Amino acid sequence: MELALILTVIVVALSFDYTNGFHDAANAIATSVSTRALTPRAALLMAASMNLVGAFLGTGVAQTVGAGIIEAPEGDSGLLVVLAALVGAIVWNLITWWFGLPSSSSHALIGGLVGAAIASANTVKWNGILDKVVIPMVLSPIVGFALAFLVMTAIQWIFRRSNPGRVNRGFRLAQTFSAAAMALGHGLQDAQKTMGVITLALVVGGYQAGFDVQWWVIVLAATALAAGTYAGGWRIMRTLGRRIVHLDPPMGFAAESVAAGVLYTTAFAYHAPISTTQTITSAVIGVGSTKRLSAVRWGVAGNIVTAWVLTIPMAGLAAALSYGLLHLVPGLSSL
């Protein structure tokens, strides 16, 4: 039973990673596609490749997710908690993908872990969630918005007397690099979260001691995320690239560059599992606000913020329900 459970957890974790890829593909490429810096297929191929590379650049975030969110019991009962957490996160990812809302896969996973731990009467590390999840969740969009606003303002001032056509052509080329940087940051952040969950499953299942991420876990998580990214996330791409604000190449470059910088800083310096979705969306709103406040479609932005707020509790609820339903499966009712 234990071997079957851990294999099931790994498969479901990689399925979550895949849904994370197609759900969050828009994070890296929507701005580049909307400004016609890249074609959709070329953008997806680039994003998938950079996601793959980014996944190999660190494991600090993975250790935070694996060791810093909940305390799962050892054995089959602990594996069931992790499985329920993943199912809850996948359910919320699919719901928000269906409605085209760029919610956070990262926070869906965190919410899933918390909901499954509460449903199973296990320990939630609230201090770790406050330090590594809640505070970065609040600060990263604020920082993304403010920095993007400042960077875009600087670009407008520096190029105020330049030929607009030439400026757009130059920034369209520059967006190739900023989009690649954003995709690299997405791989760095989001693949590690799946690595952390698989490592947690290996620890509670008794297959390893400590939360160091094994090489094969990195390879599997990186591959699943890249495959999901290449599958695309067209519904969310339309929301992020066109419905919030109409972007031009300088705005796209500023938003992507700022978002990538925030992702790198939080991953390397703080090992915090922040939301790539929140970061790029807040940066898009920041650059859009430099035109005029009315240039941002605040109704769409409000729907996105609502999805952000609901993600952790709703994914937690889905995970708690999944935990209860899994006990109805023959062979799992005694766990």
Side-chain angles (χ1 to χ4, degrees):
M1 174 64 72
E2 189 170 277
L3 179 59
L5 261 180
I6 200 161
L7 290 175
T8 301
V9 168
I10 291 172
V11 169
V12 175
L14 294 176
S15 300
F16 166 78
D17 207 19
Y18 183 86
T19 67
N20 187 344
F22 77 69
H23 189 279
D24 289 3
N27 296 344
I29 61 175
T31 51
S32 296
V33 172
S34 68
T35 62
R36 294 184 175 83
L38 294 169
T39 65
R41 190 54 60 186
L44 283 170
L45 181 60
M46 179 275 295
S49 301
M50 298 307 290
N51 279 180
L52 189 66
V53 173
F56 288 90
L57 297 183
T59 59
V61 172
Q63 293 186 17
T64 295
V65 172
I69 306 300
I70 66 171
E71 287 184 8
E74 295 184 359
D76 290 350
S77 56
L79 291 172
L80 194 63
V81 171
V82 179
L83 180 59
L86 287 165
V87 172
I90 290 172
V91 167
W92 184 248
N93 265 0
L94 292 175
I95 290 172
T96 51
W97 167 80
W98 179 257
F99 289 103
L101 293 174
S103 68
S104 169
S105 296
S106 307
H107 294 155
L109 182 57
I110 300 298
L113 287 168
V114 172
I118 292 174
S120 60
N122 285 294
T123 301
V124 178
K125 297 181 179 179
W126 295 109
N127 287 337
I129 291 175
L130 177 64
D131 292 341
K132 296 293 187 179
V133 178
V134 176
I135 293 176
M137 179 177 71
V138 173
L139 289 182
S140 57
I142 295 173
V143 171
F145 175 90
L147 287 180
F149 184 90
L150 292 174
V151 168
M152 191 61 217
T153 300
I155 289 174
Q156 289 173 336
W157 187 83
I158 292 168
F159 294 96
R160 65 191 185 281
R161 294 189 177 91
S162 301
N163 180 276
R166 187 175 300 136
V167 170
N168 280 339
R169 284 193 296 272
F171 275 102
R172 194 170 281 122
L173 177 62
Q175 264 199 280
T176 304
F177 299 97
S178 62
M182 179 65 200
L184 189 73
H186 180 227
L188 173 66
Q189 273 279 350
D190 283 28
Q192 285 196 55
K193 292 150 193 170
T194 301
M195 296 177 206
V197 172
I198 294 176
T199 301
L200 174 62
L202 293 172
V203 170
V204 300
Y207 286 86
Q208 77 173 63
F211 287 88
D212 291 334
V213 182
Q214 298 186 46
W215 67 268
W216 61 269
V217 175
I218 298 175
V219 171
L220 288 178
T223 304
L225 183 70
T229 298
Y230 189 69
W234 305 108
R235 291 174 183 268
I236 295 171
M237 198 181 302
R238 286 193 293 270
T239 298
L240 192 56
R242 296 176 183 174
R243 290 181 59 200
I244 298 174
V245 63
H246 179 72
L247 296 172
D248 58 27
M251 294 168 70
F253 173 80
E256 290 167 344
S257 299
V258 166
V262 173
L263 293 177
Y264 297 155
T265 301
T266 51
F268 288 124
Y270 302 107
H271 299 165
I274 71 163
S275 166
T276 56
T277 305
Q278 288 185 358
T279 305
I280 186 60
T281 304
S282 61
V284 167
I285 295 173
V287 299
S289 298
T290 61
K291 283 185 170 182
R292 59 187 185 281
L293 289 178
S294 61
V296 178
R297 295 183 177 92
W298 293 104
V300 176
N303 292 337
I304 292 170
V305 172
T306 300
W308 290 354
V309 173
L310 291 176
T311 290
I312 289 180
M314 293 305 293
L317 177 61
L321 293 174
S322 299
Y323 183 80
L325 291 173
L326 286 170
H327 277 88
L328 301 178
V329 177
L332 298 179
S333 57
S334 61
L335 297 181

